Amino acid sequence: MQPKVVLATRILSFETMKSMYWKYSINKKNIYRIAAVFAVFTPKSLFKLLLLRVISKKPLLAVSLIEHIGDIVASQPIATYLKRTYPNHTVIWVTRSAYIDLVSEIMGVDHVLEIQCLTHWIMIWKSNIFDTVYDLHTNTQECSLCGIRINKKPNVINYTNYYSNSNLLEARCILSGLPVLTEGPVFKESISGQSVFERIDIPKTYMVIHCKSNDERRDWSRDKWRELVNMVLGNHDITIVELGLRAVVVSDSERYVDLCGKLSIIETAEIIRRASLFVGIESGLAHIANAVHTPGLILIGKYEGFDKYMPYSGYYKDSATDSIIYAKGPAANLDVGEVYIKINRKLEMLICE
């Protein structure tokens, strides 16, 4: 067992107040949102938790990770471990509203608590309403709304070293004081998600591409994606489905399908699950592909000072030689021909099967 992690954040330290003032100065609306977190949302959450304690008649255990898709999916084995280890507790996953459906679908916890921001979560944690807390956030992570940073003791992992010797799951375990788990995430089939195939006509054989992450430093260029898609469509009888928030490729081919911004997270997962191949940059959808065991090719380059790192546990980690292509420098440096050769090999193997 790792050392017990203790919250060391001071809500209204001088540095925090400076950061809050900066948030206010660039957007006057922020002051009202910050005030609402202190005066409305936190008391409301505490009331819900008190009521849950009375109704369940069990100790409350919180596991908190408020964003993003990839981090949440990668951390799924933690929920399985906690449910198994604490059968007599009410296990509650704390997250933002955008991820409620995702957490409810894959975690199998007893309750999901919606919060507004990291500061909202910090205030609930400091209230000591939970009997046990496992916080998965990276040390020194800052609330995007209020400017308050989450500080923990011991300070074992932060943004400068979280990929040095661990993948995302292992890092989250260390950050929360859990034993280091090694199993991969599991994203079970969803009946609600499968309904997407009733309203969207997609051929039985298709590959998925995901071209844009929430950090452009991980991305490949639009021109390279378009060149790659044209090469695949020109040499293989397969449909390409692009997923994400906004389309990058935009092809006139009848065998290109743009589903960007048209699906829920759960529907997106089912599209990825049935794909013959997933090709994309390191992103939340790549973590979903890992969790549903779709054969993949992930483009990874230097990021945040990490020259070569492994984000995944489970399927893609075990098949890293075939599933990940590393760039020398940022992912943008990868050559289209080099990527196509790997895809061509994978598609030929699928045809043979």
Side-chain angles (χ1 to χ4, degrees):
M1 182 71 75
Q2 298 292 328
K4 181 177 174 60
V5 174
V6 178
L7 179 65
T9 298
R10 292 176 59 195
I11 290 291
L12 293 177
S13 67
F14 180 67
E15 290 299 319
T16 293
M17 293 179 72
K18 283 200 304 183
S19 183
M20 291 173 71
Y21 175 77
W22 180 80
K23 296 285 184 182
Y24 166 70
S25 65
I26 62 171
N27 185 351
K28 296 294 190 288
K29 290 181 180 179
N30 277 347
I31 193 65
Y32 301 109
R33 296 172 182 166
I34 293 169
V37 167
F38 280 81
V40 179
F41 293 118
T42 300
K44 186 177 178 180
S45 298
L46 292 175
F47 176 77
K48 284 182 179 179
L49 292 167
L50 285 170
L51 190 61
L52 184 61
R53 180 188 289 278
V54 171
I55 293 173
S56 67
K57 298 179 181 179
K58 293 180 179 180
L60 302 183
L61 182 152
V63 51
S64 178
L65 186 58
I66 69 171
E67 56 192 12
H68 295 274
I69 293 174
D71 299 274
I72 291 172
V73 172
S75 302
Q76 187 276 333
I78 291 176
T80 302
Y81 171 83
L82 292 175
K83 282 291 294 177
R84 183 174 64 244
T85 307
Y86 294 92
N88 297 320
H89 285 61
T90 298
V91 179
I92 303 165
W93 193 287
V94 183
T95 193
R96 285 180 50 217
S97 58
Y99 308 100
I100 292 290
D101 290 343
L102 174 63
V103 171
S104 299
E105 190 76 36
I106 72 172
M107 294 303 177
V109 293
D110 300 309
H111 187 76
V112 181
L113 180 67
E114 176 185 344
I115 52 92
Q116 302 298 312
C117 62
L118 190 63
T119 300
H120 185 182
W121 160 239
I122 290 170
M123 293 181 69
I124 297 171
W125 187 359
K126 287 181 77 72
S127 74
N128 293 320
I129 194 168
F130 294 108
D131 299 275
T132 307
V133 173
Y134 290 104
D135 179 84
L136 310 184
H137 294 98
T138 304
N139 207 21
T140 71
Q141 182 169 333
E142 181 179 296
C143 177
S144 59
L145 171 63
C146 309
I148 294 176
R149 290 181 182 272
I150 191 164
N151 295 304
K152 304 178 184 179
K153 292 181 180 180
N155 181 12
V156 178
I157 289 185
N158 52 47
Y159 282 109
T160 66
N161 62 8
Y162 70 105
Y163 270 143
S164 295
N165 298 297
S166 56
N167 57 46
L168 275 182
L169 173 63
E170 293 167 342
R172 302 296 176 190
C173 290
I174 296 169
L175 283 161
S176 60
L178 284 164
V180 176
L181 306 176
T182 57
E183 58 263 40
V186 176
F187 202 138
K188 296 179 181 178
E189 288 189 62
S190 167
I191 294 176
S192 62
Q194 289 173 3
S195 64
V196 67
F197 294 100
E198 298 174 5
R199 61 184 179 84
I200 296 178
D201 185 24
I202 302 177
K204 183 178 180 181
T205 303
Y206 63 90
M207 63 177 274
V208 163
I209 60 171
H210 181 227
C211 310
K212 192 164 185 59
S213 69
N214 59 12
D215 190 329
E216 63 181 14
R217 292 174 295 176
R218 289 191 172 114
D219 294 346
W220 214 30
S221 74
R222 182 188 298 267
D223 289 342
K224 287 184 176 181
W225 276 114
R226 288 177 174 174
E227 183 180 349
L228 179 69
V229 165
N230 288 335
M231 291 175 73
V232 173
L233 292 177
N235 292 286
H236 296 275
D237 184 19
I238 193 169
T239 295
I240 295 180
V241 176
E242 183 173 358
L243 296 176
L245 293 178
R246 292 177 298 278
V248 170
V249 173
V250 189
S251 170
D252 293 329
S253 171
E254 294 181 353
R255 289 186 288 118
Y256 166 82
V257 180
D258 173 16
L259 293 182
C260 295
K262 301 173 183 177
L263 307 175
S264 68
I265 295 176
I266 307 305
E267 291 172 333
T268 297
E270 293 309 311
I271 294 289
I272 294 172
R273 186 191 305 278
R274 295 195 189 184
S276 299
L277 181 65
F278 176 93
V279 179
I281 36 76
E282 212 292 288
S283 66
L285 298 198
H287 283 275
I288 290 177
N290 179 47
V292 300
H293 288 199
T294 296
L297 182 63
I298 314 301
L299 284 54
I300 297 181
K302 182 176 181 179
Y303 178 72
E304 291 280 12
F306 302 105
D307 291 329
K308 189 175 182 179
Y309 61 97
M310 169 55 67
Y312 310 101
S313 63
Y315 184 56
Y316 282 171
K317 181 180 181 181
D318 296 340
S319 61
T321 302
D322 294 324
S323 300
I324 297 176
I325 180 168
Y326 286 104
K328 293 180 179 179
N333 288 355
L334 282 168
D335 179 70
V336 177
E338 183 181 4
V339 176
Y340 175 73
I341 288 172
K342 289 258 188 181
I343 293 175
N344 184 58
R345 187 178 303 140
K346 283 179 171 289
L347 291 176
E348 287 180 347
M349 290 175 61
L350 289 170
I351 291 172
C352 293
E353 292 175 357

